[in-house]
Amino acid sequence: MEILVCVKRVPDNEENEIELNSAGNDIETDDLVYSVNEWDNYAVEEAIQMVDANGGSVTVVAVGDEESEEVLRREMAMGAEKGILVSDDAFEGSDGKGIATILKSVVEKGNYDLIMTGAQADAGAAQVGGMLAALMDVPYASLVNKIEVAGDGLKVGREIEGGDQEMNEITLPCVLSIQTGINEPRYVGIRGIRKVASVEIPTMSASDLGLGADAVCEGAAKVTRQDYFLPELGEGAEMLEGSTDEIIEKLIELLKAKGGLQ
Amino acid sequence: MAQIFAYIVHKDGVLDDTALELVTAAKKLGGEAIAVVTGSGVDAVCTEAAASYKEVYKIDNEALAYPNAEVVRKALVSVLPSDAIVLIPHTTFGMDLGPGLSIKMDSAFVADAVDFDGIEGSTLKVVRQEFGGQVSTHMNCDISTGVVINVRPGPFLPDESKSAGGSVVDKSGDLGDLAVGRKFLEIIVPEAGDVDITKSDVLVSVGRGIEDEDNIEAANELAEAMGAVVSCSRPIVDAKWLDKSRQVGTSGQTVKPKVYMAMGISGSFQHLGGIKGSPFIVAVNKNPKAPIFQVADVGIIADILEFMPELTEALGDK
């Protein structure tokens, strides 16, 4: 089975306090720590496990600037055989449909049975996988937390509300967006990264992919971000301050009053 | 302005909470929505929806008996006008449906909208969040060829007036081919865990801030000192440190405690969606920007690995 996994380099939510710049209209990017999008890591692990069991190979693709190469290399150290970096200034400002259009053209350059994305990334839109499938006219399932090969197709579980699992049969080729928790992604050490340090990762541009500015980029985007601002939801918490002892004393008082100590 | 449509989620003949929230969302857009009900044998659901929507499109077909997003997408493409403003709840179903629907309708798509900031000409201003709710953004959206908007459950209060006295229009005859490459098989319900977190009045709930499996013990000790039960957020279950039955959130359990201790939990909307009944929420997090502080009653900026043992010890002294 030939599997393509779409990965993205994103600011690491765990490591960063996202702050606004001094003008208050964009996020401060200077000190951000980047890593592979968490969901994508699960997708790559799942693809590797499927190939280990059924044969074939895993290719990882990222749309981004040259720094996305480190993310591709990390996923190759996990066991993805090939990496493709799709990079072009013309892609700047693409919306979800633009990214899906770029990925579709990458898919058409290969011969893949299965395409995976993470269920969502830093913007929390959860959109590229479903758009890609619709552009390719192949079936799609989102939030996948189980995959089994079944005959010519797959049996996939989707995570739905309440922790229930929705089981589906799906034909190949198809696009699946992968939910966290589907597996336990393997650890990648420095040694693993070194092993793939010299593997060549081809870069594809808009012209390599036959994409015009009408299809992607800011001009084609129907959805554009205007600014960033800090949300005001409700009144916010009463922050307890002071020494740890003072905070704990006050908290215990509150917990007693609210029935928090049984 | 183009016509607004609201996709009605229903289960076992009952409208989902989002059905009435979309009434409010449509009003915020400056219009009244037409409800769209798909399914098999949905007359009762349509009648119920007509209490809140002036018009209800009934799309009834055996192939729609289970809401398989691939089939629903084909149904909506054949029934709705191409410039429609389509509102869909941003749930596991909406995430399955919305993006692909926007491609097939050649419309713009906005995911997880939390508010609208008006329409000027063909530009709709949508408010949404990024980075797990740490920052918000204004998105401009060109709706000249229609738009599919996935609306977050919760921010739009349900319109309970039920005074629309609407009519049901049967659109089932407009359906085209509904064949798809994905077939629904069954729903698997997870096995019950060792404890039922939904029954506890006090929950000590841990998130990523716990950092390591070994540190779960500190939460257990605090819970014991408080007479509480330990629950958690999604990453703890993903890491297999606690059982799925202990997960609070839309994809886990819905809890209604009196007191909720959010320990090292950032507070994604999926997590908060599992907390009902307005409990007293105490949030402890070392990130002062954590969204949990916006919804908590009391907040403490601290590392839970230091704070929890100190609180446990102080409770032992009392």
Side-chain angles (χ1 to χ4, degrees), chain B residues 141-188:
Chain B
C141 183
D142 173 4
I143 61 168
S144 55
T145 60
V147 62
V148 174
I149 306 171
N150 276 16
V151 180
R152 180 183 294 188
F156 295 97
L157 295 177
D159 185 323
E160 307 274 5
S161 59
K162 301 196 179 170
S163 55
S167 55
V168 178
V169 184
D170 192 346
K171 292 282 183 180
S172 311
D174 293 359
L175 288 175
D177 165 41
L178 293 178
V180 296
R182 174 177 141 199
K183 184 183 163 199
F184 167 70
L185 299 173
E186 60 173 334
I187 300 286
I188 298 176

Side-chain angles (χ1 to χ4, degrees), chain A residues 142 158 161 165-166 180 222, chain B residues 66 92 96 136 145 188 238:
Chain A
S142 65
R158 294 184 59 235
E161 276 73 17
Q165 190 179 39
E166 177 199 281
T180 58
K222 286 186 172 175
Chain B
Y66 182 84
T92 61
D96 221 23
S136 293
T145 60
I188 298 176
D238 285 345

Side-chain angles (χ1 to χ4, degrees), chain B residues 7 32 63 86 104 108 111 136 140-141 145 156 177 192 196 201 211-212 222 263 279 283 287-288 304 311:
Chain B
Y7 185 85
E32 266 189 276
V86 187
K104 292 301 182 189
S136 293
N140 273 7
C141 183
T145 60
F156 295 97
D177 165 41
D196 185 352
D201 279 342
E211 288 180 11
D212 191 275
L222 175 58
M263 300 286 115
N287 180 357
I304 59 163
L311 180 56

Side-chain angles (χ1 to χ4, degrees), chain A residues 3 52-53 56 73 111 120 146 157 177 201 204-205 207 218 238 248 257:
Chain A
I3 307 178
D52 284 348
R73 236 173 254 292
N111 188 21
Q120 65 175 74
K146 187 182 180 67
S177 89
I201 296 178
M204 288 179 158
S205 66
S207 62
E218 199 165 0
E238 174 199 345
I248 284 178

